[in-house]
Amino acid sequence: MTESLTVRDNRTGQEYDVPIADGAIKAADLGKIKASDDSPGLAVYDPGFVNTASCRSSVTYIDGEKGILEYRGYPIEQLAEKSNFLEVAYLLINGSLPTKAEYEAWVHEITYHTFVHENVKSLMQGFRYDAHPMGMLMSSVGALSTFYPDAANIGDAENRHMQIVRMIAKMPTLGAWSFRHAQGKPYVYPDNDLSYTANFLSMLFKMSESKYEADERLVKALDVLLILHADHEQNCSTNAVRSVGSSQVDPYSAVAAGIGALYGPLHGGANEAVLRMLKRIGTKENIPAFIEGVKNGDEKLMGFGHRVYKNYDPRAKIIKKACDDVFEVTGVNPLLEIAQELEKIALEDEYFVKRKLYPNVDFYSGLIYEALQFPPEMFTVLFAIGRTPGWLAQWNELVQDKEQKIARPKQIYTGDRTLDFVPASERWA
C-alpha cells in the first residue's frame, strides 16, 4: 500500500492526499494546496534547510541518533583503519571499491597530475605576504577553470573523470603553496615518488634536504584525518557545490564555491575555535568555573554538539585515537589534558547529556593539526583537501541526476509594495 499524508486545509475545508516516499513528501505536492484557484500554492519556509531534502544521493549515509557515518555503505571506522585516502576517494567517486588494477591506474593518474601550470604559481605569488591560505586556495582553484576550458563540457563522462582526477591531484599542491607563501618560503614541487599524503607533507615542510621523509605515523594520522573529512552528506559547503553546480558550470568553479562556504567560521573554522577555548581555559583547575559559565550562558562550549549527530560523532572517536600516534612523535600537546578533562566532565554532567552535546570531529582535530605545526589559518585548507573527493562525488552525481534543476529557492517577501516613485528633483526640492 502506498504511504501518504492526508492534509486538511482549514482555509477551504478541502483535504489532500500527499504521497510519502523515502520518508519525505514532495514540495511540489504541497504547492497544489491553494486557498483559491488564483492564489499561490503552499510553500515550505525552512531557513538553513533544517528539514528539507534537496536531492537523492547514494554517496554518504548518516544516522545522527545512532552516531553512524558510512561512505557508499562502508562504516567510517573500517575505512579509517583499513583503507587509505586515495582508495576512499575512488570509492566516493565511483561508488565501489577498486580492483587492484583499477586502484593502481587511479593512483598513477592522480600522481601524474599533481603538478600545476607555472602561471598558477605566478598567480599565487601575486598575493600579499599575509594573504589567508583559504583565500589563496579558493582563487587558485577557481582559476583552474581558465587553464582547462574543456571542463565546461560536463556532459562527457570521460571529460568529467579527467577534471576530477586533476582536482584531487592538484589540491595538495595548491594548499601547500598557500602555506609556504604565508611563511615567505619557496614553493616546493611535488615529489611523485611519494604517496599522496607523504607528498603533501613534503611540499609543506621540505627545506634544504634532497628528500623529505615524514614519519610514517604522521603520514598515517594525516591520511586518516583526510578520510574523516572526505564527505559528510549535504552540509553547507556540499550544498554550495551542488547549488552552483546546478547552473551546469565547470567543476572548478563549483568546488571554489564549496571552499568559500568552508571558509566561514560556522563551518570550517570550528576546530580553531576549540583551540582558542582550550587556551583560554588554561589549566584543568579552571574547567569547573568554565562549565558553570557555559550553563549560565556566559561561555560557549566549542567542539561539542552537531546539527546532525545526537550521539558521539563517530569521527571524533577515531581522531581521539589518532592523537596518541601523533603525540608519540611530536610530544603531547599540553592542551590535550584540558581537552580530555573537559570531555570527561561534559559526558557525565546531566546538563550536557540531556542536551545530547557530545564531542564532534572538531574537538580533537585542531590539537593534531597544531602538533603537526600547522597555524590555525591552515586548518580549513586541510579540511578542503580532504573534502574535495566528496564535493566532486556529489557534483558528479548532481550532473547525472535527471530530477535536478537549477537551484532557485522561493522566498517570503516582507518589503513594501506598489509605492509611487517620486523623481529626485521633487524629492530633493
Side-chain angles (χ1 to χ4, degrees):
M1 187 177 92
T2 305
E3 292 184 325
S4 66
L5 178 71
T6 300
V7 179
R8 178 185 173 83
D9 187 344
N10 291 325
R11 298 171 301 178
T12 63
Q14 190 171 343
E15 288 192 350
Y16 298 84
D17 203 39
V18 182
I20 299 173
D22 301 317
I25 60 173
K26 286 188 175 180
D29 289 334
L30 287 181
K32 296 172 184 174
I33 302 174
K34 300 181 177 184
S36 62
D37 290 340
D38 58 352
S39 66
L42 204 61
V44 177
Y45 179 58
D46 188 12
F49 307 113
V50 177
N51 193 36
T52 299
S54 62
C55 64
R56 295 177 185 274
S57 179
S58 61
V59 179
T60 296
Y61 173 79
I62 296 174
D63 186 328
E65 294 296 330
K66 296 177 181 175
I68 293 172
L69 171 61
E70 296 173 355
Y71 295 163
R72 301 288 190 180
Y74 292 95
I76 190 66
E77 295 84 356
Q78 293 180 21
L79 294 173
E81 182 185 353
K82 302 174 183 176
S83 188
N84 63 60
F85 180 65
L86 282 189
E87 186 177 37
V88 169
Y90 183 98
L91 170 67
L92 286 168
I93 299 296
N94 296 286
S96 60
L97 290 170
T99 63
K100 187 172 185 291
E102 287 169 339
Y103 176 72
E104 288 173 352
W106 173 248
V107 171
H108 174 76
E109 275 189 301
I110 299 291
T111 305
Y112 182 78
H113 286 281
T114 53
F115 281 75
V116 297
H117 196 287
E118 281 294 293
N119 286 359
V120 176
K121 182 179 175 183
S122 302
L123 168 75
M124 298 186 78
Q125 286 173 327
F127 282 93
R128 275 176 55 107
Y129 70 93
D130 58 352
H132 196 291
M134 274 297 274
M136 293 181 67
L137 184 68
M138 180 167 57
S139 302
S140 53
V141 168
L144 289 180
S145 65
T146 67
F147 289 89
Y148 305 109
D150 55 325
N153 184 17
I154 63 172
D156 184 301
E158 283 188 26
N159 185 48
R160 289 199 306 273
H161 172 78
M162 189 72 262
Q163 311 315 322
I164 286 169
V165 165
R166 282 175 176 153
M167 211 174 317
I168 293 173
K170 297 178 194 308
M171 283 292 280
T173 308
L174 299 175
W177 285 7
S178 66
F179 173 74
R180 302 282 291 199
H181 183 86
Q183 297 185 323
K185 293 176 181 175
Y187 298 176
V188 175
Y189 287 102
D191 182 345
N192 288 342
D193 290 335
L194 300 174
S195 70
Y196 185 87
T197 307
N199 177 43
F200 180 43
L201 287 169
S202 171
M203 289 188 288
L204 287 163
F205 300 120
K206 186 174 185 289
M207 293 302 289
S208 58
E209 64 269 46
S210 58
K211 191 96 172 168
Y212 181 86
E213 293 183 10
D215 190 294
E216 279 304 313
R217 289 167 293 183
L218 299 184
V219 174
K220 174 61 179 173
L222 185 54
D223 205 65
V224 167
L225 283 165
L226 294 178
I227 290 171
L228 297 181
H229 284 126
D231 195 59
H232 207 243
E233 204 212 42
Q234 302 308 311
N235 52 78
C236 177
S237 57
T238 300
N239 179 62
V241 170
R242 278 183 170 265
S243 183
V244 172
S246 72
S247 73
Q248 299 191 347
V249 74
D250 66 88
Y252 301 103
S253 300
V255 167
I259 295 171
L262 193 62
Y263 201 166
L266 291 184
H267 189 11
N271 45 22
E272 185 179 345
V274 171
L275 279 181
R276 284 199 302 268
M277 175 190 74
L278 294 174
K279 286 174 181 175
R280 199 171 71 253
I281 293 171
T283 65
K284 281 172 62 177
E285 290 71 32
N286 294 333
I287 291 176
F290 175 80
I291 291 288
E292 282 306 308
V294 172
K295 293 177 182 178
N296 295 333
D298 301 323
E299 296 280 5
K300 204 165 182 183
L301 183 62
M302 306 305 298
F304 280 73
H306 196 279
R307 167 81 75 85
V308 174
Y309 295 114
K310 305 307 173 193
N311 202 318
Y312 206 111
D313 184 337
R315 300 170 300 171
K317 290 181 181 177
I318 298 165
I319 284 184
K320 193 176 176 184
K321 194 175 166 188
C323 278
D324 297 335
D325 294 334
V326 171
F327 294 147
E328 195 176 294
V329 180
T330 65
V332 176
N333 188 323
L335 297 176
L336 177 66
E337 191 178 34
I338 300 171
Q340 289 174 329
E341 182 66 17
L342 188 62
E343 179 189 2
K344 180 174 178 290
I345 292 173
L347 290 178
E348 292 171 354
D349 193 301
E350 189 185 345
Y351 176 90
F352 301 104
V353 173
K354 194 168 141 188
R355 288 164 175 77
K356 299 186 176 179
L357 292 175
Y358 297 90
N360 59 39
V361 70
D362 298 306
F363 188 64
Y364 282 106
S365 60
L367 292 173
I368 293 181
Y369 291 150
E370 190 173 68
L372 292 171
Q373 298 183 337
F374 290 113
E377 58 267 22
M378 269 297 291
F379 292 178
T380 28
V381 172
L382 299 167
F383 196 152
I385 292 168
R387 182 55 55 88
T388 298
W391 284 335
L392 291 168
Q394 298 273 352
W395 169 81
N396 201 32
E397 188 176 64
L398 163 89
V399 170
Q400 299 173 79
D401 187 348
K402 303 296 183 190
E403 287 188 342
Q404 285 299 311
K405 300 176 175 64
I406 185 168
R408 209 296 187 188
K410 283 183 176 290
Q411 67 166 23
I412 297 174
Y413 180 70
T414 60
D416 294 326
R417 294 284 322 284
T418 61
L419 300 177
D420 286 325
F421 177 75
V422 178
S425 58
E426 295 179 29
R427 295 197 318 272
W428 302 342

